């Protein structure tokens, strides 16, 4: 695996800026998160990939660039970027809150929901027709007074239902939009987890994953200036159509992206291979 860093506030970069050889203000405005990375933010991703938690990750490069590669157009990604943001110098203190796991009744989420349970986690399993208002009520019931600081959304399963790709993507977009609304403008992290069960139609599964990547990269660029990070964990179907990803591997990747160790990652995808391909 590899790590592709964006701009990092190293001693060399600081010297270049001090001597007038680089305009860090222009750089910050080009990054959706509106700032450069700290060296420890790159190191934390390297540490994750080198750990047992990344056992399902093989042959991929993770972009740790604050959303730079997700903003693929001219102009400023973050027009209101501040000079010398505090988060460039030192990590912010941990804010109290909970991780919310959203599952839906139209795919086998039980194994993932069970694997993600922890003291700082609450979960809601919804039906396919659940609206935003009912979702907000159920979240308030399980979260209590604790704010939601990260949301892990378990995507709809393809389940060989015959739904066309436009319908699938529309459903995914609606669920992502509802999850974004749960933050109510507060900073946080949203992680979308693609279908992890077996699928007999691997071509369709790959198309679905590619569509989700495009959607989430665009949303990462849009919400980065609001300190909302949006990333994805994708199950890569086996080339033989046999086997599925281990729920524990998916859980470890999702919780990594939802936490502070991935604080400079947005618009990125971690691919988790099926057990048969590892």
């Amino acid at each position: 695996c590899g790590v592709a860093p964006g701009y990092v506030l190293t001693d060399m970069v600081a010297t270049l800026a001090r001597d007038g050889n680089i305009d860090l203000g222009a750089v910050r405005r080009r990054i959706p998160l509106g700032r450069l990375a700290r060296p420890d933010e790159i190191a934390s991703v390297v540490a994750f990939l080198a750990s047992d938690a990344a056992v399902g990750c093989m042959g991929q490069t993770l972009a740790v660039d604050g959303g730079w590669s997700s903003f693929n157009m001219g102009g400023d990604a973050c027009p209101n970027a501040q000079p010398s943001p505090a988060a460039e110098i030192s990590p912010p203190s941990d804010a109290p809150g909970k991780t919310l796991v959203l599952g839906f009744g139209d795919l086998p989420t039980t194994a993932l929901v069970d694997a993600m349970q922890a003291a700082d986690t609450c979960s809601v399993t919804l039906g396919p027709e659940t609206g935003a208002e009912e979702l907000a009520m159920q979240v308030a019931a399980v979260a209590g007074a604790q704010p939601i600081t990260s949301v892990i959304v378990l995507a709809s399963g393809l389940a060989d239902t015959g739904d066309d790709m436009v319908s699938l993507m529309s459903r995914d977009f609606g669920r992502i939009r509802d999850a974004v609304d749960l933050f109510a403008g507060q900073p946080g992290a949203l992680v979308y987890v693609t279908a992890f069960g077996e699928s007999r139609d691997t071509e369709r599964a790959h198309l679905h994953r590619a569509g989700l990547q495009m959607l989430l990269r665009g949303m990462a660029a849009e919400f980065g200036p609001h300190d909302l990070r949006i990333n994805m964990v994708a199950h890569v179907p086996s080339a033989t159509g046999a086997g599925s990803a281990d729920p524990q591997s998916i859980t470890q990747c999702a919780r990594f992206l939802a936490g502070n160790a991935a604080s400079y990652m947005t618009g990125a995808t971690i691919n988790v291979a099926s057990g048969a391909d590892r």
Side-chain angles (χ1 to χ4, degrees):
C1 294
V3 172
Y7 277 89
V8 185
L9 191 60
T10 61
D11 291 342
M12 181 182 73
V13 171
T15 298
L16 289 171
R18 186 175 59 247
D19 294 344
N21 293 317
I22 187 173
D23 182 356
L24 291 188
V27 172
R28 293 185 184 105
R29 291 192 298 273
R30 178 59 180 73
I31 301 171
L33 290 184
R35 64 178 181 86
L36 281 66
R38 302 185 309 273
D40 67 272
E41 291 180 299
I42 309 302
S44 64
V45 180
V46 174
F48 165 74
L49 286 174
S51 72
D52 291 341
V55 66
C57 306
M58 302 182 69
Q60 60 189 298
T61 300
L62 299 187
V64 190
D65 60 7
W68 176 285
S69 54
S70 294
F71 184 75
N72 57 352
M73 60 182 70
D76 293 335
C78 186
N80 299 320
Q82 301 298 308
S84 302
E88 280 185 1
I89 308 303
S90 60
S93 56
D94 291 337
K98 284 193 173 184
T99 294
L100 172 68
V101 179
L102 287 182
F104 293 89
D106 57 349
L107 79 162
T109 61
T110 305
L112 274 180
V113 171
D114 289 346
M116 290 183 184
Q117 290 308 306
D120 63 343
T121 303
C122 56
S123 61
V124 175
T125 301
L126 306 168
E129 303 302 324
T130 300
E133 185 175 343
E134 182 182 349
L135 169 60
M137 291 175 59
Q138 292 199 37
V139 170
V142 298
Q146 290 274 12
I148 298 298
T149 55
S150 58
V151 177
I152 299 173
V153 182
L154 307 180
S156 302
L158 297 180
D160 301 311
T161 59
D163 288 347
D164 62 85
M165 199 57 61
V166 173
S167 297
L168 281 172
M169 292 304 301
S170 177
R171 183 173 58 181
D172 288 321
F173 175 73
R175 289 175 176 173
I176 296 168
R177 179 198 59 212
D178 291 343
V180 167
D181 289 344
L182 294 174
F183 290 98
Q186 299 300 311
L190 189 154
V191 182
Y192 206 61
V193 181
T194 69
F196 71 97
E198 294 183 36
S199 175
R200 292 186 293 275
D201 190 344
T202 56
E203 181 178 356
R204 189 158 169 263
H206 282 300
L207 283 172
H208 188 220
R209 180 165 55 97
L212 281 171
Q213 281 184 296
M214 292 175 63
L215 171 62
L216 292 174
R217 283 165 67 91
M219 296 186 77
E222 178 183 355
F223 289 101
H226 304 285
D227 291 326
L228 177 58
R229 298 184 293 109
I230 301 179
N231 295 293
M232 183 168 80
V233 177
H235 167 220
V236 181
S238 171
T240 62
S244 61
D246 173 33
Q248 191 62 35
S249 295
I250 294 176
T251 294
Q252 290 169 329
C253 292
R255 291 189 69 87
F256 163 72
L257 288 174
N260 289 335
S263 56
Y264 203 62
M265 292 181 67
T266 191
T269 297
I270 294 180
N271 294 313
V272 180
S274 298
D277 292 338
R278 293 208 298 271

